[in-house]
Amino acid sequence: MIVLNSEAGLERFAGGVVVPTMGALHAGHLLLIRAAREAADRRGKPVLVTIFVNPTQFGPREDFSRYPRTLEADLLACEGAGADAVFAPAAEVVYPSDRPARVPALPAVATEPRLEDAIRPGHFAGVCQVVLRLFELTRPDAAVFGEKDWQQLQVVSAIVRQEGLPVEIIPRPTVREPDGLALSSRNQFLSAAERQRGLSLSRALIEARAQPDAPSAERAMRRIVEAAGVEVDYAVVRHATTLMPVGRDRPVGNRRALVAGRVGSVRLLDNAEWMPVG
Ligand code: AMP
């Protein structure tokens, strides 16, 4: 496996399948890399994993400086999962100081739903900026993203359409611990007691499925997560791709339940398809 830190040598991997990450890789990332391997093999193309903790998607009071960085272990994991190369650039390579960084116009799904965008203003501007720049550098045919960050997946799909990029976005489902907790690079900051509280997010998503309509699913989710001592950012059922409110609309289908909150200093997100009972 080849490790690249600058643009030199990247052209060999153009037309491949890319997996963008911020490192601190876990089994969720590895699922994406294996999916990329399968998609790339079908096309006879290479797999490139990018590892870059993107400063522009963190707010001023967020955890950029303490975000886990485990490059040596990440490289071994990428190799084991079948990557041909890892692109781990310094910030100067992604955002050269001698040219203005391009911040694209944000698609509606980044700004209208009042979900992540309400809690982390500027976050999706940073995400769109880095994804477009990484695509410019790596020129992939396809890129694999996790459903774990559902709004991000919709935002990336929308920006690729908006910019007319010839990149297929391949989604992959969330990998969980046996007890339901969605894997996240930030889980390592949870104490045993906090982890227990964090489990309420996946329990809430399961309980939401037992509710007959979206408002009662939202109430049930909020009750469960609040009772566990999580500071809730949102607990909602939305249209799965626009992420706008659905009320009691019928016919249903194409709905997503999304929940996010803070346990101590750690922010957790989770989501699942939502189908009402009956
Ligand atoms: P990150 O390194 O957190 O920026 O995530 C990189 C990619 O991994 C994103 O597409 C995430 O949605 C995806 N990802 C993160 N956690 C999981 C998980 N538990 N299961 C599947 N994909 C995940």
Side-chain angles (χ1 to χ4, degrees), residues 20-23 26 28-29 31-32 57 67 144-149 152 172-176 182-185:
T21 80
M22 298 204 299
H26 52 60
H29 298 112
L31 176 88
L32 307 189
Q57 71 191 64
Y67 196 84
V144 187
F145 285 85
E147 293 182 354
K148 161 74 168 34
D149 300 281
Q152 170 175 281
R172 276 295 172 274
T174 302
V175 176
R176 299 173 180 283
L183 295 188
S184 162
S185 303

Side-chain angles (χ1 to χ4, degrees), residues 168-215:
E168 181 191 351
I169 302 300
I170 302 174
R172 276 295 172 274
T174 302
V175 176
R176 299 173 180 283
E177 303 275 10
D179 60 9
L181 185 72
L183 295 188
S184 162
S185 303
R186 291 183 172 100
N187 287 354
Q188 57 188 273
F189 294 126
L190 296 171
S191 68
E194 288 171 339
R195 190 184 179 288
Q196 212 46 42
R197 286 151 67 190
L199 269 178
S200 63
L201 274 72
S202 54
R203 277 199 286 114
L205 293 169
I206 293 167
E207 181 58 30
R209 293 209 179 117
Q211 304 301 320
D213 56 37

Side-chain angles (χ1 to χ4, degrees), residues 39-111:
D41 285 346
R42 281 196 298 275
R43 300 156 194 245
K45 296 290 177 69
V47 171
L48 179 66
V49 177
T50 69
I51 298 181
F52 179 60
V53 186
N54 174 38
T56 70
Q57 71 191 64
F58 288 78
R61 279 177 296 283
E62 292 180 4
D63 57 355
F64 173 70
S65 56
R66 77 156 192 169
Y67 196 84
R69 287 159 172 91
T70 59
L71 187 61
E72 287 308 307
D74 291 350
L75 295 179
L76 288 174
C78 288
E79 183 150 39
D84 295 301
V86 171
F87 178 48
E92 175 63 26
V93 175
V94 180
Y95 304 121
S97 42
D98 61 358
R99 67 172 238 187
R102 179 163 171 260
V103 183
L106 289 184
V109 67
T111 53

